[in-house]
């Protein structure tokens, strides 16, 4: 595993793409369901450095959503699935809604286009609104430095109070 400062939210000296996996490991995630494509591919390239996370390739994003939901129900842990932007993100809607209605703690993530240091709407941001009524909370990470603290907060929210899905949308970072 890549070295990091003790107690730090942001691992030291590692690429932003690896921050995703570092954060998931710190939150106790051991299984991730995904159907990779387009914008999410660089995240999966970094996954090879983290053998402690078991990656399950599904045949459709909707299957990833329902698998993460079932895992969370069966284990009590936060289930995690990853999808790419566009139609891949839209395919998560049914699984997210099911988890919300049944108070299941899980964290779907959607990888989008490149993280940019500018203000205003980025292409693909319109998907953010699709998830607002069916998530406990919804994050749109636009700055790479916000990724680690956002993931940590998302897991906290998914587990506390009435459990439910917390969506983290981010832009591609490399």
């Amino acid at each position: 595993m890549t070295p990091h400062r003790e107690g730090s939210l942001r691992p030291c000296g590692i690429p932003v793409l690896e921050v995703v996996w570092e954060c998931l490991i710190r939150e106790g995630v051991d299984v991730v369901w995904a159907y990779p494509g387009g914008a999410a591919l660089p995240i999966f390239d970094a996954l090879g450095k983290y053998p402690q996370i078991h990656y399950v390739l599904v045949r459709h994003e909707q299957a990833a959503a329902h698998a993460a939901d079932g895992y969370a129900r069966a284990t009590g842990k936060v289930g995690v699935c990853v999808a790419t932007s566009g139609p891949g993100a839209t395919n998560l809607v049914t699984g997210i809604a099911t988890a919300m209605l049944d108070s299941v703690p899980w964290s779907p993530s959607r990888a989008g286009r490149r993280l940019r240091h500018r203000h205003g709407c980025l292409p693909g941001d319109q998907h953010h609104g699709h998830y607002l009524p069916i998530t406990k909370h919804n994050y749109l990470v636009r700055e790479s430095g916000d990724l680690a603290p956002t993931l940590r907060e998302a897991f906290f929210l998914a587990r506390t109070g009435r459990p439910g899905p917390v969506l983290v949308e981010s832009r591609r970072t490399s």
Side-chain angles (χ1 to χ4, degrees):
M1 182 159 72
T2 307
H4 51 75
R5 272 193 307 248
E6 199 62 39
S8 172
L9 290 177
R10 172 76 192 244
C12 298
I14 65 171
V16 174
L17 293 172
E18 294 178 21
V19 170
V20 171
W21 303 115
E22 283 281 334
C23 290
L24 293 179
I25 289 167
R26 288 181 181 197
E27 295 298 332
V29 173
D30 53 2
V31 183
V32 173
W33 289 267
Y35 184 78
L41 288 176
I43 293 171
F44 293 101
D45 289 341
L47 178 59
K49 296 180 181 178
Y50 299 93
Q52 57 272 60
I53 295 181
H54 178 70
Y55 164 68
V56 180
L57 173 65
V58 295
R59 301 296 178 221
H60 194 276
E61 294 88 353
Q62 193 173 41
H66 289 297
D69 177 31
Y71 176 81
R73 291 170 192 261
T75 66
K77 295 181 178 182
V78 176
V80 177
C81 70
V82 179
T84 191
S85 59
T90 304
N91 290 334
L92 297 176
V93 170
T94 304
I96 294 171
T98 300
M100 181 65 177
L101 292 172
D102 294 342
S103 300
V104 177
W106 68 285
S107 182
S109 297
R110 179 181 78 84
R113 290 179 172 75
R114 197 173 294 277
L115 278 169
R116 298 184 194 254
H117 298 281
R118 67 180 179 122
H119 299 292
C121 188
L122 298 176
D125 284 356
Q126 68 275 12
H127 285 288
H128 184 72
H130 291 166
Y131 306 108
L132 290 174
I134 59 170
T135 55
K136 185 174 178 182
H137 197 72
N138 193 328
Y139 293 96
L140 178 59
V141 180
R142 294 185 175 165
E143 303 289 336
S144 59
D146 295 336
L147 187 57
T150 300
L151 286 169
R152 183 176 186 138
E153 187 174 318
F155 274 83
F156 175 78
L157 288 174
R159 291 180 181 124
T160 57
R162 178 182 177 210
V166 177
L167 179 75
V168 178
E169 297 184 68
S170 65
R171 302 287 152 236
R172 201 173 88 201
T173 56
S174 73

